[in-house]
Amino acid sequence: MINIENRDAHLIEEAKATLIKNDLGGYTVPTHGLYPFQWNWDSAIVALGWLPFDEPRAWEETTSLLSAQWKSGMVPHVVFHKHSDTYFPGPDIWGVQNSPDSTSITQPPVLASVIKILFEETEDRALAESQIKTIVPQLIDYHLWWYKQRDPENTGLVVSYHPWESGMDNSPAWDAALEAVPCVDWEYTRRDTSHIDASERPHKKEYDRFLYLVDFFRKMNFDDTLIYQDCPYRVNDVSIISILHRATKDLLTLCEKIGVSNDQTAYLVKRLDLTEGAISKLWCSETNMFHSFDTRSNTMCKARTSAGLLPFFAGLVSEQQTQPLISVLDKWLEHSTYAISSTHPDDPNYEPQRYWRGPIWIHINWMIAIGLEDYGFSQQAQRITEGSRACIYKSGFNESFHAETGARSGGADFSWTAAMALYWLLPNTTEKG
């Protein structure tokens, strides 16, 4: 019989080694080759992995990301700190004239929630106090950008302009909305399928539209007003809305702790109220789930995905919605020892190993589990935690995991999975040093 304590200790050392291997000096790549740059929500999650054994490095991960913040307040989804030809599209395609080079879109803003954790759990209080004074104003600017530029009509629900912003690139939730986007009219060579089998990656028809949108942003000169008016893809993404809502609450808690109270924080409070009043638009009584909404066609994105559980993380599930949504989750969890698939197994677009159309993503599980605990559903939270742990016991630190077997899916030696192991799944035997 395997000694569980020895197994966990070995995994912890492997997880640390994975982060160290992927560290390029102040920022951590998700994995070499496939993703050779700094990704926004990856780095936020990765900071939690550094926290148990290298507090200064955890903070550095976040400040490195924020070093690429635009004057508008936007924090880009990829920062191109160093040249690499193993990824496409690179800075030449994006056409952004910033230093450092970056993309022109963002990603789910989990960063403020992570910073709150860093601030509360860093043992070196002098370090935490010195970092937070610089970071909080940057986070405020980022959240103000989200609300003002991505919801200029004050609907309470921000919009996304690209599936890559969701982080859930080829989720079936975007299928219909993407159909309205033209295909790019130039030839290109993908790099992702040279690292990972094509059966695990988005289809070319999706990439054609992804790249059309990249071209569109550049042609609009990255003007937020023009893009809001004319972007052919404009979606109320329930995952982004949920993560932003939780992050804004966490940011306001940080502001209170360090004595920041002004017109900006008052505005953020009002935006929370707006979202709480608007979130019911994303609830579907037919599926008993939350869904994203295509604002161009005024239709709900009916695919059943794990994004529809993230309102638990945000605290946006009403008393009337709670039990129906939990009933959906309970049946979902019956499908596999490994939990939880990114697309519901009964959804017609479910593919257990194709990127965001089925595989399990550990950082999403972490957020869902936190939300379930907040609502008092400890049994379901524990089931997701155990399923996540089973994934890393079975296959190590991979980008994602086959929804039914727990086998590797996507890239290997993956930073955010190693980070989740260190911070969440194997915390009791992790020691700082």
Side-chain angles (χ1 to χ4, degrees), residues 337-339 385-396 401 406 425:
T337 302
Y338 307 95
T385 302
E386 290 171 355
S388 302
R389 191 176 291 120
C391 287
I392 64 169
Y393 284 165
K394 169 88 181 249
S395 305
F401 299 84
L425 298 175

Side-chain angles (χ1 to χ4, degrees), residues 194-241:
S194 67
H195 302 286
I196 300 295
D197 191 271
S199 65
E200 299 177 26
R201 299 295 298 172
H203 293 290
K204 183 180 186 299
K205 65 179 182 178
E206 292 161 332
Y207 247 82
D208 286 348
R209 291 169 168 85
F210 294 162
L211 292 172
Y212 178 92
L213 291 169
V214 172
D215 272 352
F216 171 80
F217 304 141
R218 189 177 65 247
K219 290 173 181 175
M220 293 296 103
N221 200 30
F222 315 115
D223 185 301
D224 284 318
T225 301
L226 292 177
I227 295 171
Y228 182 81
Q229 291 172 353
D230 299 332
C231 189
Y233 179 96
R234 199 177 71 189
V235 172
N236 296 135
D237 175 358
V238 68
S239 59
I240 287 177
I241 289 165

Side-chain angles (χ1 to χ4, degrees), residues 1 3-4 11 37 112 125 235 243 252 257 278 299 305 340 382 411 417 419:
M1 181 178 291
N3 184 299
I4 293 176
L11 280 172
F37 304 112
R125 296 315 301 164
V235 172
I243 291 168
L252 287 168
K257 287 185 176 186
T299 56
T305 73
I340 182 172
Q382 184 61 28
T417 306

Side-chain angles (χ1 to χ4, degrees), residues 368-382:
I368 292 171
I370 287 174
L372 291 169
E373 288 283 4
D374 289 345
Y375 274 79
F377 293 100
S378 297
Q379 183 178 349
Q380 288 85 352
Q382 184 61 28

Side-chain angles (χ1 to χ4, degrees), residues 147-431:
Y147 291 121
K148 292 182 177 181
Q149 302 303 332
R150 293 306 185 90
D151 185 24
E153 299 177 63
N154 296 316
T155 67
L157 303 173
V158 298
V159 295
S160 166
Y161 296 144
H162 198 297
W164 286 343
E165 287 197 312
S166 72
M168 303 178 180
D169 304 13
N170 67 327
S171 167
W174 321 136
D175 286 357
L178 269 180
E179 285 295 324
V181 178
C183 291
V184 74
D185 60 2
W186 45 273
E187 295 297 320
Y188 60 91
T189 301
R190 289 170 62 172
R191 300 283 191 270
D192 58 325
T193 50
S194 67
H195 302 286
I196 300 295
D197 191 271
S199 65
E200 299 177 26
R201 299 295 298 172
H203 293 290
K204 183 180 186 299
K205 65 179 182 178
E206 292 161 332
Y207 247 82
D208 286 348
R209 291 169 168 85
F210 294 162
L211 292 172
Y212 178 92
L213 291 169
V214 172
D215 272 352
F216 171 80
F217 304 141
R218 189 177 65 247
K219 290 173 181 175
M220 293 296 103
N221 200 30
F222 315 115
D223 185 301
D224 284 318
T225 301
L226 292 177
I227 295 171
Y228 182 81
Q229 291 172 353
D230 299 332
C231 189
Y233 179 96
R234 199 177 71 189
V235 172
N236 296 135
D237 175 358
V238 68
S239 59
I240 287 177
I241 289 165
S242 298
I243 291 168
L244 175 62
H245 194 75
R246 171 80 180 224
T248 299
K249 290 194 288 188
D250 289 341
L251 175 55
L252 287 168
T253 299
L254 279 172
C255 288
E256 185 178 351
K257 287 185 176 186
I258 66 173
V260 174
S261 179
N262 52 37
D263 290 345
Q264 292 179 322
T265 56
Y267 174 81
L268 292 177
V269 171
K270 291 179 181 178
R271 293 303 313 213
L272 289 176
D273 292 340
L274 268 180
T275 300
E276 287 163 10
I279 194 64
S280 60
K281 178 181 178 180
L282 305 185
W283 174 259
C284 177
S285 56
E286 294 176 19
T287 62
N288 285 326
M289 282 195 70
F290 289 92
H291 300 270
S292 297
F293 189 87
D294 181 354
T295 68
R296 283 302 185 203
S297 64
N298 286 316
T299 56
M300 188 167 274
C301 308
K302 282 288 188 72
R304 289 168 287 171
T305 73
S306 57
L309 299 169
L310 284 170
F312 278 126
F313 181 63
L316 287 170
V317 185
S318 73
E319 186 177 347
Q320 294 75 22
Q321 294 159 347
T322 298
Q323 197 53 56
L325 187 53
I326 284 295
S327 295
V328 170
L329 173 61
D330 285 341
K331 291 179 181 177
W332 200 332
L333 290 170
E334 291 174 2
H335 282 271
S336 173
T337 302
Y338 307 95
I340 182 172
S341 60
S342 49
T343 299
H344 194 291
D346 291 339
D347 192 277
N349 295 297
Y350 168 71
E351 296 181 70
Q353 197 166 353
R354 189 182 293 278
Y355 212 37
W356 285 94
R357 302 181 80 87
I360 297 157
W361 298 78
I362 302 299
H363 68 296
I364 298 296
N365 286 1
W366 171 69
M367 288 186 266
I368 292 171
I370 287 174
L372 291 169
E373 288 283 4
D374 289 345
Y375 274 79
F377 293 100
S378 297
Q379 183 178 349
Q380 288 85 352
Q382 184 61 28
R383 171 70 182 83
I384 290 173
T385 302
E386 290 171 355
S388 302
R389 191 176 291 120
C391 287
I392 64 169
Y393 284 165
K394 169 88 181 249
S395 305
F397 308 119
N398 300 305
E399 180 176 8
S400 55
F401 299 84
H402 191 290
E404 294 165 8
T405 68
R408 182 204 57 77
S409 177
D413 302 320
F414 218 84
S415 294
W416 65 14
T417 306
M420 285 285 90
L422 289 167
Y423 181 75
W424 176 38
L425 298 175
L426 306 170
N428 295 329
T429 48
T430 305
E431 296 180 0

Side-chain angles (χ1 to χ4, degrees), residues 16 18-30 38 42-65 81 114-115 118 122 124 127 131 135 415 433:
K16 290 179 182 179
T18 298
L19 294 190
I20 292 167
K21 173 185 175 182
N22 291 340
D23 181 5
L24 290 189
Y27 69 96
T28 311
V29 299
Q38 183 177 30
D42 290 73
S43 269
I45 298 299
V46 163
L48 296 176
W50 287 110
L51 178 63
F53 72 102
D54 192 338
E55 290 182 350
R57 185 62 187 78
W59 286 98
E60 186 180 26
E61 189 71 34
T62 67
T63 56
S64 174
L65 175 62
H81 290 288
V114 167
I115 294 294
L118 296 189
T122 295
D124 184 342
L127 171 64
Q131 294 287 338
I135 290 174
S415 294

